[in-house]
Amino acid sequence: MAGPSVFNTAYAGLQAAQAGLLVTSQNIAGASVEGYTRRDASAIINRLAPHTASATGMGFSPEGFIRDYSRLLENQRLSQQGRYAFSDALVQTTATLDKLVADESNSIATVISEFFDAAGQMVGDATSPAYRANLTHKADMVSQRIVGLSDILSRVDSDARTALEATLSQANTYTEQLSKINAQIMTGSAQKGGLGPAPEYLDERDRILMALQRLVGGETMINADQTATHYMNGIPLVEADVANRFNLVNTEGNIDNLRITFTTFRQSSMGTRELLKNQTTPGVSTDMISGGQAGAYIKLVRDFLPDINRRLDAVAIGLVKTVNEISPNPIFGFQVQTSHLVTNTQTDEFLKEIPTVTSASGIFQIRDRLNPDDPTFQAGLVSLRAANFVAVAPTNADDWAIDGNQAHRIEALRAHFSDPVADIVSQVGSQIATWSNNRAADKSVMEILNTRREEISGVNLDEEAANMVKFQQLYAASSKIIQTGNEMFQTLLSMLS
């Protein structure tokens, strides 16, 4: 019985060599493909080794291809991808604002301090044309800095809203792709008789999941049938072959009007997949999106930028309230929505609602009254925006009616504004610095996880080249055994005949 055993062993070796050559060629071809997972040929023993006279040989045969893959590591990568994309988007979107605040030459604190310095110069000689012209110039500089900072905040807000729309649109594309991959995975598993879906489907599934984490964050669960379910704060974004979509009702104004449109795929009688959309789903809070790029844009638009704007608006309102009530000539004002210039805090529309400011705490009280979520909110103050802040000081020195005592009282207001202005700078700087530190840490962890994945699932071309030689030699050796056995068998037949 030695002959059949030799042939069986050689044939098994031939099968193993063919499988090894095939999987090695796949690995080499997939080395340049993002997200490709290295394959191995899974072999099973199909005969026992000859330990007794009753045993008739040994051998093994390839069962299929498996991926060198760690589910735990992939879960860590998915979670970290969402965190890194979140912190990176925050830093990238606020880069211009960070640069402006860090530039001392363009600092709002500097120009406001110089304005009060100019008022202090007039204490000794309020009639000096040079001093009066300087006060007008410094008032203009204050207006330019406040409006300029407001404009930067507005541009960051606009950029974040535009990016949010694009991000959610991309996410909608990926959710549909994931649902289709899930359907292919389920179909492939059924057709292969429980051996599992094709590795190509699983690689594509993981690539899409990484893209979704980068865009919107969320939580992912890999099911027993290898399909993926992606949740957003407990709401399934993709489940089996059902994909939900983000329907942006409005990104202008209140972005909490985001809605989820439930989208399903139905198998038609013709075998094609029909896309059905139900757009009657009630709105959901943007709190459900707390990670990825979309989460970063929502945080900026909903939390960070409104807070900084309120702080800046409060400083502008405080300047109008305090300075104009001292100076006989209005120095600052607002161009309100009705296109009227308002400067008189006692009689003009909106300005009459400004509370009295006797210290820095008065500026902070104005800030709180601009917050719709605060119990002291005053809707009338909302029309007084830093974007509409203007300097109206006389351009002709002879038109000034200010005296030295009034100039001294204006200069004394410096203490009212030093803390609120420093608060704006520190709030912007410290928050962006925190995001930058988080991004550096998140990037470092992401790189470590990617390195570990490469060690487990990545393709080493040198190793694959060695495998190619090994399997070629195994194939040649197995072929030689079969050829030699065949020659021996033919010789034996000729001898018997």
Side-chain angles (χ1 to χ4, degrees):
M1 302 297 295
S5 176
V6 170
F7 275 110
N8 289 339
T9 301
Y11 181 67
L14 198 62
Q15 286 183 306
Q18 288 176 323
L21 289 170
L22 179 58
V23 77
T24 301
S25 63
Q26 285 186 349
N27 287 339
I28 293 174
S32 60
V33 178
E34 181 183 1
Y36 177 83
T37 304
R38 185 175 65 228
R39 314 308 196 229
D40 277 328
S42 175
I44 58 172
I45 300 296
N46 59 15
R47 290 240 171 84
L48 295 176
H51 295 299
T52 67
S54 61
T56 57
M58 62 172 291
F60 61 91
S61 62
E63 180 185 26
F65 294 152
I66 59 173
R67 302 193 305 160
D68 293 334
Y69 182 77
S70 169
R71 180 72 261 165
L72 174 61
L73 179 59
E74 198 62 24
N75 284 338
Q76 293 174 336
R77 289 182 69 243
L78 286 170
S79 178
Q80 188 62 29
Q81 175 77 312
R83 284 193 287 266
Y84 173 59
F86 177 79
S87 57
D88 184 59
L90 287 173
V91 173
Q92 294 286 351
T93 310
T94 57
T96 303
L97 178 61
D98 185 37
K99 183 177 181 180
L100 176 66
V101 171
D103 185 0
E104 293 187 4
S105 63
N106 289 317
S107 170
I108 182 176
T110 300
V111 295
I112 289 181
S113 178
E114 290 176 351
F115 168 76
F116 290 122
D117 288 343
Q121 287 180 328
M122 297 181 66
V123 173
D125 186 4
T127 61
S128 168
Y131 289 163
R132 291 182 173 186
N134 187 47
L135 185 61
T136 297
H137 171 66
K138 295 304 181 182
D140 287 338
M141 292 297 295
V142 170
S143 174
Q144 291 174 20
R145 288 291 187 275
I146 289 179
V147 173
L149 180 54
S150 176
D151 182 59
I152 291 295
L153 292 171
S154 178
R155 273 187 274 171
V156 173
D157 180 90
S158 177
D159 291 344
R161 291 174 188 270
T162 301
L164 177 62
E165 287 193 45
T167 298
L168 295 184
S169 178
Q170 291 179 51
N172 287 340
T173 300
Y174 283 115
T175 58
E176 184 174 333
Q177 291 178 3
L178 182 57
S179 69
K180 291 179 179 179
I181 285 294
N182 279 343
Q184 291 174 321
I185 288 174
M186 290 186 292
T187 301
S189 296
Q191 292 177 347
K192 292 181 67 175
L195 293 179
E200 290 77 11
Y201 292 159
L202 301 182
D203 280 352
E204 183 64 14
R205 177 202 66 190
D206 291 344
R207 276 192 288 265
I208 295 173
L209 290 174
M210 289 294 288
L212 282 176
Q213 281 290 344
R214 173 176 54 83
L215 294 171
V216 297
E219 305 84 34
T220 297
M221 182 177 72
I222 302 300
N223 305 305
D225 62 357
Q226 298 301 306
T227 60
T229 302
H230 193 77
Y231 295 96
M232 300 296 298
N233 198 25
I235 298 177
L237 192 60
V238 179
E239 188 171 21
D241 62 348
V242 177
N244 298 331
R245 295 174 59 86
F246 295 103
N247 178 26
L248 279 175
V249 176
N250 179 25
T251 55
E252 297 180 1
N254 185 6
I255 63 170
D256 285 331
N257 288 328
L258 282 174
R259 294 179 183 271
I260 291 292
T261 300
F262 286 94
T263 305
T264 61
F265 292 92
R266 182 179 66 188
Q267 198 77 18
S268 72
S269 58
M270 301 298 294
T272 59
R273 293 163 59 79
E274 298 175 349
L275 183 63
L276 307 176
K277 295 183 180 179
N278 165 24
Q279 298 189 4
T280 61
T281 309
V284 295
S285 172
T286 49
D287 287 337
M288 68 172 290
I289 307 176
S290 57
Q293 295 173 352
Y297 301 138
I298 289 174
K299 182 175 181 63
L300 289 173
V301 173
R302 187 184 58 199
D303 301 325
F304 176 70
L305 294 173
D307 177 66
I308 301 302
N309 272 311
R310 286 192 291 268
R311 295 170 191 269
L312 183 62
D313 292 345
V315 168
I317 293 172
L319 284 170
V320 172
K321 176 69 175 178
T322 58
V323 173
N324 283 14
E325 287 189 344
I326 295 174
S327 175
N329 303 98
I331 297 179
F332 299 113
F334 289 98
Q335 196 80 38
V336 296
Q337 294 174 344
T338 58
S339 298
H340 294 151
L341 177 64
V342 294
T343 60
N344 192 314
T345 60
Q346 303 301 317
T347 61
D348 283 351
E349 183 183 20
F350 305 118
L351 299 186
K352 293 183 293 184
E353 299 186 37
I354 303 176
T356 301
V357 177
T358 59
S359 64
S361 62
I363 307 298
F364 292 122
Q365 289 175 4
I366 294 174
R367 176 201 64 192
D368 294 338
R369 296 187 184 195
L370 292 169
N371 186 356
D373 297 327
D374 193 278
T376 63
F377 174 66
Q378 287 182 253
L381 295 180
V382 176
S383 297
L384 307 178
R385 304 298 307 275
N388 304 325
F389 184 71
V390 293
V392 294
T395 55
N396 189 334
D398 294 335
D399 292 337
W400 276 100
I402 193 171
D403 60 30
N405 181 57
Q406 292 164 337
H408 175 70
R409 291 172 59 195
I410 290 176
E411 197 276 336
L413 294 174
R414 182 194 307 270
H416 293 15
F417 291 91
S418 58
D419 285 348
V421 171
D423 179 61
I424 295 174
V425 176
S426 65
Q427 185 69 16
V428 173
S430 63
Q431 183 62 81
I432 297 178
T434 299
W435 291 336
S436 297
N437 292 335
N438 290 344
R439 180 179 68 166
D442 291 336
K443 182 179 180 181
S444 177
V445 174
M446 194 71 211
E447 289 175 347
I448 291 172
L449 292 175
N450 287 336
T451 300
R452 290 180 179 174
R453 183 197 181 278
E454 283 301 306
E455 293 172 353
I456 296 173
S457 304
V459 176
N460 185 317
L461 292 178
D462 292 337
E463 182 181 342
E464 297 303 327
N467 287 338
M468 183 71 75
V469 174
K470 178 182 69 177
F471 289 123
Q472 285 176 336
Q473 291 175 343
L474 175 59
Y475 187 91
S478 299
S479 299
K480 188 64 175 177
I481 291 174
I482 293 175
Q483 179 184 357
T484 303
N486 184 59
E487 291 175 353
M488 292 173 61
F489 187 65
Q490 293 297 329
T491 303
L492 180 60
L493 287 178
S494 63
M495 292 173 63
L496 292 175
S497 62

